[in-house]
Amino acid sequence: MVSFGGHKTNLISWTLFGVFSLMVYCEFLIYYVVLFQCSWPELNSALEDKKITVSNKDEEPVRAMFIADTHLLGTRRGHWFDKLRREWQMHRAFQSAVTLHKPDIVFVLGDVFDEGLWSSETEFNNYVARFRTLFSVPDNTELHVVVGNHDIGFHYGISPYLQERFATAMDAPSVQILSRRGVHFVLVNSMAMEGDGCFLCRPAQIHLQQISTRLKCTKGTAKCKKIQKLSQYSKPILLQHFPMFRESDINCSGPDQAPEDEKKQKFRERWECLSRESSDLLMEMLEPRLITTGHTHHGCHRIYPDGTHEWTVPSFSWRNKNNPSFLLGVFTANNYAVGKCYMPAESTVIYLYLFGGACITLGLTVGSNPRRWKRVKNS
């Protein structure tokens, strides 16, 4: 009887250990295992822009991380377990990536919240606090946000109150330029690119014109006051929520591309992408070397005739994408390199749980009656 009791105790201990180990791997270690395989892209000196003179060649490159469409759930959509599961996944993926890769700056390309435009003041404040907790960064890492349609609404549904509330809480004005070591990031509110002179669009267009003038003055192609100049000229990186105008995702490819049936669906201007006119205006005013966008929840990489690259970053959440990914970019004033990092797929974690659960169940079954299984084996 004592022997049986000891055997039973050992069996329970090993079962609990197996369950604990499976959960630790699937909920914690797998993020490090997968993201450790990703690394910062390397700059290719052959791709340097020889037309740009770098004033301080000893400066370290800027290392930036780009994620999109976190869609933190509110009080109206989704089950509590759905919210818990997705937020834990994003938290672990983000914190693992920041710990391993140590970016200088992180950009979130819009749709931070899923129900931002419907939230009361109290709900919105809770939203912001949750975001700050889930996506906290070390003191030596900056985090900046671009506004998306789920944060404040599409163009005709935006009120001054919703715009100001998000801009103030997230430090995210409709248009801003961030200059770091001679690298210029221009963040733009896609919903302010309607071009109808509204309370949102007119100030955004004026600010864009001011940034365009500063860039041209620094480049030396326009006359301006000295105070307007930037310390170093470089072609900017444009960050926004909507993709630039394109008819569909039909020419997008890669593991994180949209499903084939979605790729064939035509994009509506101002809904799935910017209008052709707004896209042309941004290209003309800013002359960006790189464009990063979100919104579609799927990955896409386009190269324009002038050599400009546009990367559409898929949703960071398993709720919208089985195999999320994000971008790592290394930037100097006259060069850059971009690489994509894939996070653990939700289906992989589910399969691991099923396989691990089956192994634990089998071990428990065999271990609970070893004599019976021994007779079965010998028969």
Side-chain angles (χ1 to χ4, degrees), residues 92-130:
R92 286 312 326 149
F94 183 80
Q95 295 302 329
S96 300
V98 170
T99 299
L100 288 172
H101 302 301
K102 297 177 174 58
D104 299 314
I105 190 167
V106 177
F107 294 104
V108 185
L109 302 173
D111 278 359
V112 179
F113 310 128
D114 192 62
E115 305 169 20
L117 67 161
W118 301 301
S119 299
S120 67
E121 193 69 20
T122 300
E123 290 171 335
F124 184 79
N125 290 336
N126 290 335
Y127 245 152
V128 174
R130 276 167 51 212

Side-chain angles (χ1 to χ4, degrees), residues 301-315:
H301 179 212
R302 300 172 65 200
I303 304 177
Y304 291 80
D306 66 353
T308 301
H309 288 245
E310 178 183 354
W311 289 85
T312 300
V313 183
S315 174

Side-chain angles (χ1 to χ4, degrees), residues 42-199:
E42 295 185 3
L43 293 171
N44 184 349
S45 58
L47 299 178
E48 288 183 358
D49 189 340
K50 306 300 182 184
K51 298 178 182 178
I52 297 177
T53 302
V54 180
S55 56
N56 188 354
K57 295 183 178 181
D58 295 329
E59 272 190 326
E60 287 292 318
V62 177
R63 298 178 181 270
M65 175 179 170
F66 303 85
I67 69 173
D69 294 272
T70 52
H71 281 272
L72 296 184
L73 290 173
T75 59
R76 294 164 178 80
R77 296 181 175 180
H79 189 267
W80 68 267
F81 183 76
D82 183 25
K83 181 189 297 186
L84 175 66
R85 184 81 186 118
R86 270 52 176 178
E87 291 188 1
W88 174 256
Q89 168 258 322
M90 289 190 289
H91 175 66
R92 286 312 326 149
F94 183 80
Q95 295 302 329
S96 300
V98 170
T99 299
L100 288 172
H101 302 301
K102 297 177 174 58
D104 299 314
I105 190 167
V106 177
F107 294 104
V108 185
L109 302 173
D111 278 359
V112 179
F113 310 128
D114 192 62
E115 305 169 20
L117 67 161
W118 301 301
S119 299
S120 67
E121 193 69 20
T122 300
E123 290 171 335
F124 184 79
N125 290 336
N126 290 335
Y127 245 152
V128 174
R130 276 167 51 212
F131 174 79
R132 297 297 185 194
T133 300
L134 294 172
F135 296 93
S136 61
V137 294
D139 293 338
N140 58 349
T141 299
E142 299 179 51
L143 186 145
H144 297 277
V145 170
V146 177
V147 65
N149 56 285
H150 274 265
D151 300 316
I152 60 173
F154 282 101
H155 176 265
Y156 293 108
I158 300 173
S159 67
Y161 167 73
L162 290 175
Q163 158 63 17
E164 185 62 27
R165 182 176 72 171
F166 186 89
T168 301
M170 306 301 288
D171 191 20
S174 287
V175 177
Q176 64 174 320
I177 181 171
L178 301 172
S179 299
R180 303 292 183 269
R181 302 175 206 155
V183 179
H184 311 303
F185 301 94
V186 179
L187 286 65
V188 175
N189 179 345
S190 297
M191 290 75 71
M193 293 293 102
E194 195 78 11
D196 60 358
C198 71
F199 79 94

Side-chain angles (χ1 to χ4, degrees), residues 94-375:
F94 183 80
Q95 295 302 329
S96 300
V98 170
T99 299
L100 288 172
H101 302 301
K102 297 177 174 58
D104 299 314
I105 190 167
V106 177
F107 294 104
V108 185
L109 302 173
D111 278 359
V112 179
F113 310 128
D114 192 62
E115 305 169 20
L117 67 161
W118 301 301
S119 299
S120 67
E121 193 69 20
T122 300
E123 290 171 335
F124 184 79
N125 290 336
N126 290 335
Y127 245 152
V128 174
R130 276 167 51 212
F131 174 79
R132 297 297 185 194
T133 300
L134 294 172
F135 296 93
S136 61
V137 294
D139 293 338
N140 58 349
T141 299
E142 299 179 51
L143 186 145
H144 297 277
V145 170
V146 177
V147 65
N149 56 285
H150 274 265
D151 300 316
I152 60 173
F154 282 101
H155 176 265
Y156 293 108
I158 300 173
S159 67
Y161 167 73
L162 290 175
Q163 158 63 17
E164 185 62 27
R165 182 176 72 171
F166 186 89
T168 301
M170 306 301 288
D171 191 20
S174 287
V175 177
Q176 64 174 320
I177 181 171
L178 301 172
S179 299
R180 303 292 183 269
R181 302 175 206 155
V183 179
H184 311 303
F185 301 94
V186 179
L187 286 65
V188 175
N189 179 345
S190 297
M191 290 75 71
M193 293 293 102
E194 195 78 11
D196 60 358
C198 71
F199 79 94
L200 192 62
C201 302
R202 181 59 181 160
Q205 190 166 349
I206 292 173
H207 198 172
L208 276 171
Q209 185 59 61
Q210 293 172 344
I211 292 174
S212 175
T213 301
R214 291 186 71 190
L215 288 167
K216 291 176 181 177
C217 290
T218 308
K219 185 179 180 181
T221 57
K223 294 181 179 180
C224 60
K225 298 178 182 179
K226 187 175 182 180
I227 195 173
Q228 290 180 306
K229 289 186 178 181
L230 299 161
S231 60
Q232 165 73 56
Y233 172 73
S234 66
K235 282 190 169 186
I237 294 92
L238 172 61
L239 300 89
Q240 59 189 21
H241 183 58
F242 287 3
M244 300 290 266
F245 172 79
R246 61 177 182 253
E247 292 187 353
S248 68
D249 272 351
I250 193 65
N251 294 319
C252 302
S253 59
D256 56 0
Q257 66 180 318
E260 287 300 322
D261 57 334
E262 289 188 36
K263 288 175 65 175
K264 298 175 183 178
Q265 296 176 9
K266 296 294 184 181
F267 280 3
R268 298 169 296 170
E269 295 183 48
R270 302 177 177 88
W271 292 91
E272 283 81 40
C273 63
L274 286 186
S275 67
R276 188 189 296 271
E277 293 78 12
S278 294
S279 299
D280 291 344
L281 179 66
L282 286 170
M283 293 294 283
E284 179 183 347
M285 294 179 75
L286 299 177
E287 299 179 357
R289 51 175 160 162
L290 173 69
I291 305 167
T292 59
T293 62
H295 189 51
T296 68
H297 297 174
H298 304 294
C300 188
H301 179 212
R302 300 172 65 200
I303 304 177
Y304 291 80
D306 66 353
T308 301
H309 288 245
E310 178 183 354
W311 289 85
T312 300
V313 183
S315 174
F316 199 70
S317 173
W318 276 347
R319 196 168 195 265
N320 303 314
K321 192 72 178 172
N322 175 57
N323 56 332
S325 62
F326 58 90
L327 298 183
L328 293 179
V330 180
F331 302 91
T332 65
N334 64 351
N335 202 358
Y336 77 93
V338 172
K340 182 176 287 188
C341 291
Y342 289 92
M343 303 185 304
E346 183 178 31
S347 57
T348 300
V349 174
I350 292 174
Y351 292 147
L352 283 172
Y353 268 123
L354 291 174
F355 178 76
C359 291
I360 292 171
T361 302
L362 179 61
L364 183 61
T365 303
V366 174
S368 62
N369 198 340
R371 294 181 180 178
R372 177 187 174 188
W373 284 94
K374 186 175 181 180
R375 289 197 302 269

